[in-house]
Amino acid sequence: MKIQEITAAELDTQVFIEEKTKEISSLVGKGLAINALSGGVDSSAVTMLGHKALGDRLKTYFIDNGIMRQDEPQRIVDLFKKLGVTVEIVDAQEKFFQALKGITDPEEKREAITQTFYKDVFGQLVKKSGAKYLLQGTILTDVDETVAGIKRQHNVFEQLGIDPQVAFGYKIIEPLVQLRKDGVRKAAQALGLPESVYNRMPFPGPALSARVIGEVTPEKIKIVRQATVIVEEELSSTKAFQYMAILHQDKVTGIRDGKRDFGLQIELRCWDSIDARKAVPTALSFNTLSGLAQRMVNEVPGVVSVTYNITNKPPSTMEAI
Amino acid sequence: MKIQEITAAELDTQVFIEEKTKEISSLVGKGLAINALSGGVDSSAVTMLGHKALGDRLKTYFIDNGIMRQDEPQRIVDLFKKLGVTVEIVDAQEKFFQALKGITDPEEKREAITQTFYKDVFGQLVKKSGAKYLLQGTILTDVDETVAGIKRQHNVFEQLGIDPQVAFGYKIIEPLVQLRKDGVRKAAQALGLPESVYNRMPFPGPALSARVIGEVTPEKIKIVRQATVIVEEELSSTKAFQYMAILHQDKVTGIRDGKRDFGLQIELRCWDSIDARKAVPTALSFNTLSGLAQRMVNEVPGVVSVTYNITNKPPSTMEAI
């Protein structure tokens, strides 16, 4: 089952939107569909397409996993409200933190988040909603990175805790599967989404938990969330490809009010890159770096030390874990 | 027992050297004296003074604790040999690594090193040598930082495992106790020591173990030692107050030969400072930083990530632990 790629250059957004809307309408018929919105460009574009096709018969949920950026759930809900789309926030923070408890291995963290999302939270919503149609923001790059076609969709049902044997009743709809990221951005813009969405800086699936080295706790997320606010405020004007704050597990010595204070270290990364395959640290001015460090130690409780990553990718990666 | 300070400005090095040499001679008489040389300016100055006064009746030991910089023990022995002073290297590497095993708390690491130095290694040497006179490089700042006078010397005997009740036979001689660091540097220069000694960059007592976050092992010391060679080669021309490489315990994701590789992170620090009480990170050029990072990831096995500290002291400290 070879998927026919549509490159960004050849993408006619009006034709694409019309075709995909019709396709979704005819597939779902008079049924109900469901999707999860993360605020990323893929799930945002799917949400817009689905609502164009189905209106209120698409139920869109924003799962608040507790590891989002400052005010992110409400900001996204408000944004879609302006576009006429109702999104329901599902508070699942406790479930995610419970699943992350005691886990320090980065792969296991990722797995715990995926499992909790599908099995414990979204799987339950799917079953409860009665919707048989799942809209997903899968893009061609995702397909390349996993197994293609039916096997992949089969895996989604397994992840959702829906027995693939009885999954015949369910159907996964992937309207973006012929596009790559640049095509999705183009479509998202044509769908009326604002630039903050269609040009959104890459942000990892495991959200802020990818920015905490070691065990993820509500306290650590709070710290890295505050640091992220500062980085985004200070570096948005740089137009860098991506920038981030990472909370380390290692403690380092600091000094506060003349007293020794083992404290926290925040690592900052800011990347120049074309396509994320290679990247170099942005040559930020020393003034900018000092200002960032100053704000971190003044505004983020417990932080006594701030570093800036100076390694190229490769051998570094963009994210720390 | 108030100690009479001699400031660097009022220090007449020739008078000082003559007086201290006479003082040591008359105290030790025809007896034997012993001292431990670390290669720092204090213990180097004491070694020169002691040998001026006593010649071969001062036994000088260099304790190789395994956590020194590349080739440091031999370099220091060679340097003193040129000055006519015989220094014996005592290989105590295993004892120190044994003592450091499993310890991650910075204070406990420091304590383990101190204990091993005094009780297990130097204490044994003192007893075996038959020397009753201990030459120590204590300076006035050390006295300020601990308890003054007799109590402090009493503590040294306790640390050495010499019962203070029978310690009457022993005597500690501290020829530098009226000086501060700048005075010692002046005296060291007058004593014929080279600039690499009298202007030596500050280096912590716990040596490279202060540059390893978490447990100290021979493998980790080897890594941070290699990183230190690179930092010292690349930054010696900056004339910064102090520079260092720190091996983190936190692992970060890297990519090698297209494969995910959890690897090591090295943090670099380079400080501008007058007196170490306050310090700011040196505004190194981005070229210098990139070059450093490049050498680290190419030359130090396992390193995939390098950061540069951008925090002022305070609230940072110069060293990480």
Side-chain angles (χ1 to χ4, degrees):
Chain A
M1 216 171 76
K2 178 92 174 102
I3 297 162
Q4 185 66 48
E5 176 170 358
I6 305 171
T7 65
E10 68 198 21
L11 174 68
D12 180 327
T13 53
Q14 292 317 315
V15 172
F16 179 82
I17 292 167
E18 202 173 308
E19 276 185 9
K20 290 299 160 186
T21 310
K22 271 191 197 158
E23 205 175 295
I24 296 167
S25 283
S26 79
L27 279 166
V28 178
K30 298 210 174 301
L32 284 177
I34 185 171
N35 80 317
L37 171 66
S38 72
V41 63
D42 304 338
S43 70
S44 295
V46 162
T47 301
M48 291 307 289
L49 278 174
H51 277 269
K52 247 184 158 49
L54 307 172
D56 283 352
R57 283 182 300 119
L58 173 63
K59 302 293 169 201
T60 299
Y61 295 97
F62 183 95
I63 315 282
D64 183 358
N65 52 17
I67 51 181
M68 297 286 168
R69 280 174 290 188
Q70 185 83 51
D71 305 324
E72 203 159 26
Q74 199 53 52
R75 200 173 59 236
I76 289 164
V77 168
D78 291 349
L79 187 156
F80 276 87
K81 197 172 183 181
K82 276 191 199 150
L83 297 168
V85 176
T86 303
V87 177
E88 193 178 317
I89 296 181
V90 178
D91 183 352
Q93 301 187 47
E94 256 179 62
K95 277 184 185 150
F96 280 88
F97 283 121
Q98 201 55 43
L100 285 164
K101 213 170 179 172
I103 301 180
T104 57
D105 181 87
E107 292 302 334
E108 287 174 31
K109 277 200 256 182
R110 218 174 281 267
E111 189 56 27
I113 292 166
T114 305
Q115 284 283 333
T116 306
F117 177 83
Y118 282 107
K119 276 231 171 77
D120 294 354
V121 184
F122 193 55
Q124 300 302 321
L125 281 173
V126 170
K127 288 179 198 167
K128 227 175 58 184
S129 70
K132 295 287 178 183
Y133 299 89
L134 258 72
L135 262 65
Q136 283 221 319
T138 322
I139 67 171
L140 195 49
T141 318
D142 300 328
V143 178
D144 291 345
E145 286 171 2
T146 59
V147 285
I150 293 170
K151 177 91 185 297
R152 182 169 44 83
Q153 295 206 347
H154 177 107
N155 284 344
V156 174
F157 288 120
E158 254 182 343
Q159 283 185 311
L160 287 166
I162 295 169
D163 183 346
Q165 298 301 319
V166 302
F168 293 115
Y170 287 94
K171 190 152 178 58
I172 294 174
I173 304 174
E174 296 170 320
L176 308 179
V177 79
Q178 294 168 274
L179 306 179
R180 296 197 185 268
K181 207 62 151 192
D182 48 359
V184 178
R185 293 194 195 282
K186 212 171 141 182
Q189 184 174 10
L191 282 159
L193 286 159
E195 193 181 354
S196 64
V197 174
Y198 69 75
N199 264 342
R200 198 172 84 139
M201 191 166 65
F203 191 66
L208 293 177
S209 84
R211 308 276 169 82
V212 171
I213 297 181
E215 188 189 6
V216 176
T217 64
E219 296 72 30
K220 288 189 192 172
I221 290 292
K222 202 177 156 194
I223 290 164
V224 82
R225 183 178 282 139
Q226 276 185 271
T228 301
V229 169
I230 295 170
V231 170
E232 295 189 348
E233 281 176 11
E234 297 291 322
L235 296 185
S236 63
S237 63
T238 62
K239 305 288 172 205
F241 185 85
Q242 199 180 7
Y243 33 83
M244 65 191 75
I246 298 148
L247 175 60
H248 278 244
Q249 180 167 38
D250 285 341
K251 291 208 170 179
V252 294
T253 307
I255 189 160
R256 291 272 191 195
D257 307 320
K259 274 185 194 145
R260 216 176 150 80
D261 173 25
F262 276 107
L264 305 172
Q265 186 175 70
I266 294 280
E267 176 187 342
L268 305 178
R269 296 185 179 195
C270 183
W271 295 107
D272 290 342
S273 178
I274 302 296
D275 58 6
R277 284 184 300 179
K278 285 184 176 191
V280 296
T282 306
L284 297 173
S285 77
F286 226 81
N287 260 354
T288 302
L289 291 172
S290 290
L292 270 164
Q294 212 58 43
R295 283 197 66 188
M296 292 287 164
V297 298
N298 289 341
E299 298 175 31
V300 188
V303 173
V304 297
S305 178
V306 185
T307 64
Y308 185 61
N309 185 288
I310 54 171
T311 332
N312 294 345
K313 171 182 181 178
S316 183
T317 46
M318 314 277 280
E319 299 281 342
I321 57 173
Chain B
M1 218 172 71
K2 177 94 173 98
I3 297 162
Q4 185 65 48
E5 177 172 356
I6 305 171
T7 66
E10 68 198 20
L11 173 67
D12 180 327
T13 52
Q14 291 318 315
V15 171
F16 179 81
I17 292 168
E18 201 173 311
E19 276 184 10
K20 289 300 160 185
T21 310
K22 269 190 199 159
E23 205 175 297
I24 297 167
S25 282
S26 78
L27 279 165
V28 178
K30 297 207 175 305
L32 284 176
I34 186 171
N35 81 316
L37 171 65
S38 71
V41 62
D42 304 339
S43 69
S44 294
V46 162
T47 300
M48 291 307 288
L49 278 174
H51 276 269
K52 246 185 159 49
L54 307 172
D56 282 352
R57 283 182 301 120
L58 173 65
K59 302 294 170 199
T60 299
Y61 294 96
F62 183 95
I63 314 283
D64 183 358
N65 53 17
I67 51 182
M68 297 285 167
R69 281 174 288 188
Q70 185 85 51
D71 304 325
E72 203 159 26
Q74 199 52 54
R75 201 172 59 236
I76 289 163
V77 167
D78 291 349
L79 187 156
F80 276 86
K81 196 173 181 180
K82 275 191 199 150
L83 297 168
V85 176
T86 304
V87 177
E88 195 177 318
I89 296 181
V90 178
D91 182 352
Q93 300 188 48
E94 257 180 62
K95 279 184 183 150
F96 281 89
F97 282 122
Q98 201 53 45
L100 285 163
K101 213 170 178 173
I103 301 179
T104 57
D105 180 87
E107 293 301 334
E108 287 174 31
K109 277 200 257 183
R110 220 174 278 268
E111 188 57 25
I113 292 165
T114 306
Q115 284 283 333
T116 306
F117 178 83
Y118 281 107
K119 277 230 170 76
D120 295 353
V121 184
F122 194 55
Q124 299 303 321
L125 280 174
V126 170
K127 288 179 197 166
K128 227 175 58 183
S129 70
K132 294 289 178 180
Y133 298 89
L134 258 71
L135 262 66
Q136 284 221 318
T138 322
I139 67 171
L140 195 50
T141 318
D142 300 327
V143 179
D144 291 346
E145 285 171 3
T146 58
V147 284
I150 292 169
K151 178 90 186 300
R152 180 169 45 83
Q153 295 207 347
H154 176 107
N155 284 345
V156 173
F157 288 120
E158 253 181 343
Q159 283 185 310
L160 287 166
I162 295 170
D163 183 345
Q165 297 302 320
V166 300
F168 293 115
Y170 288 93
K171 189 151 179 58
I172 294 174
I173 304 174
E174 295 171 320
L176 308 179
V177 80
Q178 294 168 275
L179 306 179
R180 296 197 185 269
K181 208 61 153 191
D182 47 359
V184 178
R185 293 194 196 282
K186 211 171 142 183
Q189 185 173 9
L191 282 160
L193 287 160
E195 192 180 354
S196 64
V197 175
Y198 70 75
N199 264 341
R200 198 173 85 139
M201 189 166 66
F203 191 67
L208 293 176
S209 83
R211 307 277 169 80
V212 170
I213 296 181
E215 189 190 5
V216 176
T217 64
E219 296 71 31
K220 288 189 191 170
I221 289 293
K222 202 177 155 192
I223 290 164
V224 82
R225 183 179 282 139
Q226 276 184 271
T228 302
V229 169
I230 295 170
V231 170
E232 295 190 348
E233 281 177 10
E234 297 291 321
L235 297 184
S236 64
S237 63
T238 62
K239 305 287 171 206
F241 184 84
Q242 199 181 7
Y243 33 82
M244 65 190 76
I246 298 147
L247 175 61
H248 278 242
Q249 180 167 39
D250 285 342
K251 290 208 170 180
V252 295
T253 307
I255 189 160
R256 292 271 192 196
D257 308 320
K259 275 186 192 143
R260 216 175 150 78
D261 173 24
F262 278 108
L264 305 172
Q265 186 176 70
I266 294 280
E267 176 189 344
L268 304 179
R269 296 186 178 194
C270 183
W271 296 106
D272 289 342
S273 178
I274 302 295
D275 58 7
R277 283 185 301 179
K278 286 184 173 190
V280 296
T282 306
L284 296 174
S285 76
F286 226 80
N287 259 354
T288 303
L289 291 171
S290 291
L292 269 164
Q294 212 58 44
R295 283 197 65 187
M296 293 287 165
V297 298
N298 289 341
E299 298 175 31
V300 188
V303 173
V304 297
S305 178
V306 185
T307 65
Y308 185 60
N309 185 288
I310 55 172
T311 333
N312 293 345
K313 171 183 181 179
S316 182
T317 47
M318 314 278 280
E319 300 282 342
I321 57 173

